[in-house]
Amino acid sequence: MKIQVYNEWDHVDKAASCAEDNVVLAWDGEYRKGDIIEFTGLIPGNYYVVKVDAAIDTALVLVEQESVIFPVPFYEKKTSYNPLAFFGNRHYVSIRKAADYEIHAYRNLALNPFDQHEVSGVYPHASANVETRGEAVFAARNAIDGCIATLSHGEWPYESWGINRQDDAEFTLDFGTEVDFDRIELYTRADFPHDNWWVEATFSFSDKSTEVVRMDKKVGQPHVFDIKRSGIRWIKLGKLIKADDPSPFPALTQILVYGKPSVEC
């Protein structure tokens, strides 16, 4: 495996490191607009533990391609990340093969701080049919980045999935493989009185089953649902019904899905 940092204009390596199973790239220098972090030599269908920056949490991901590129975010695209991420002149990036005990542990299967808006083939992956004004701070990926700060909105750490006031808004979480789970938690944004909140929503699952849930609490604490399913590839959250409140701005701060990959995986 190999990690490279280069600029898209000239493709000359600013830094690089390689190893068989565990690659660490520690380098001195500054990121510039157009810089790309690329991970190569990956085996499609394998799980990897990735840390793209010292200020971003480690991610356990399923990769379905031989290489993954991560464009270093700048300006508006960086607003949903910790301001210390990709900053300064000393950096740490790593990737290693995940151990079986990590892959098959009971865990939050939705968590992926490494998720990217434009990149597919790395799972779990979040997407949506609408994101408020196309802004990074309201992108679907924010709802699986592990950052749970519900009492405001906008730039990190208050990034969320925003629905742009769209009544048919729908959020999709793709695990990349079949999983078994027994609990789903939703953190709805609670920047009151700016925010509204949902009193009802519908989960749709890849096995064609559905589950209607109620969220009666106007709080920043999690809405916990004991929902058990097996062999599920993806979850959709939709049919979102707002509370009777003057604000038109409900949003999702985080979704957590607790379980394990299905046995055959």
Side-chain angles (χ1 to χ4, degrees):
M1 295 188 293
K2 186 176 184 179
I3 304 172
Q4 298 166 269
V5 176
Y6 57 86
N7 193 277
E8 63 181 346
W9 304 112
D10 55 22
H11 283 257
V12 175
D13 283 354
K14 300 176 74 168
S17 181
C18 59
E20 184 173 349
D21 296 323
N22 188 354
V23 186
V24 174
L25 173 59
W27 68 284
D28 292 341
E30 293 185 353
Y31 286 115
R32 301 295 186 189
K33 191 177 186 305
D35 280 353
I36 288 172
I37 303 170
E38 184 172 12
F39 304 84
T40 57
L42 310 179
I43 301 174
N46 279 15
Y47 285 86
Y48 294 89
V49 176
V50 183
K51 191 168 185 64
V52 74
D53 186 87
I56 297 176
D57 288 343
T58 301
L60 172 58
V61 295
L62 172 64
V63 178
E64 291 293 357
Q65 50 202 38
E66 294 181 353
S67 65
V68 176
I69 64 169
F70 188 98
V72 178
F74 276 83
Y75 309 123
E76 189 274 336
K77 289 184 179 297
K78 193 183 175 184
T79 54
S80 61
Y81 292 96
N82 186 329
L84 296 177
F86 313 108
F87 179 76
N89 59 6
R90 181 162 292 184
H91 309 282
Y92 181 93
V93 189
S94 67
I95 186 170
R96 64 174 174 83
K97 292 182 179 179
D100 285 344
Y101 74 86
E102 295 173 303
I103 298 168
H104 297 287
Y106 182 82
R107 55 188 172 87
N108 174 17
L109 298 166
L111 180 63
N112 183 9
F114 186 59
D115 193 31
Q116 300 180 69
H117 186 274
E118 296 86 2
V119 175
S120 60
V122 180
Y123 303 96
H125 175 62
S127 60
N129 64 344
V130 59
E131 296 168 331
T132 302
R133 296 184 297 272
E135 295 177 9
V137 294
F138 299 120
R141 65 161 298 276
N142 298 329
I144 63 171
D145 68 357
C147 193
I148 302 172
T150 61
L151 300 182
S152 188
H153 70 283
E155 296 185 6
W156 182 95
Y158 302 111
E159 69 277 12
S160 59
W161 171 52
I163 67 170
N164 204 36
R165 309 190 195 187
Q166 191 164 309
D167 290 336
D168 65 346
E170 190 174 70
F171 172 94
T172 301
L173 173 61
D174 190 343
F175 300 105
T177 188
E178 293 184 352
V179 300
D180 306 335
F181 56 84
D182 59 14
R183 187 166 95 252
I184 300 176
E185 296 183 7
L186 297 180
Y187 284 82
T188 51
R189 207 176 62 201
D191 184 12
F192 308 123
H194 174 277
D195 285 344
N196 199 321
W197 69 99
W198 297 302
V199 295
E200 185 177 294
T202 300
F203 289 110
S204 301
F205 305 102
S206 59
D207 65 358
K208 300 183 179 180
S209 67
T210 60
E211 192 95 25
V212 178
V213 296
R214 296 283 305 177
M215 291 173 279
D216 298 321
K217 298 177 293 183
K218 181 183 176 181
V219 295
Q221 299 302 308
H223 306 277
V224 180
F225 309 107
D226 294 322
I227 299 174
K228 188 173 183 178
R229 291 290 191 282
S230 298
I232 299 300
R233 165 69 189 247
W234 51 258
I235 295 174
K236 289 187 178 182
L237 176 67
K239 297 182 180 179
L240 302 165
I241 299 176
K242 296 192 295 289
D244 184 14
D245 185 272
S247 169
F249 303 121
L252 179 67
T253 296
Q254 203 75 187
I255 180 172
L256 299 85
V257 181
Y258 286 96
K260 302 178 181 181
S262 299
V263 174
E264 60 269 24
C265 298

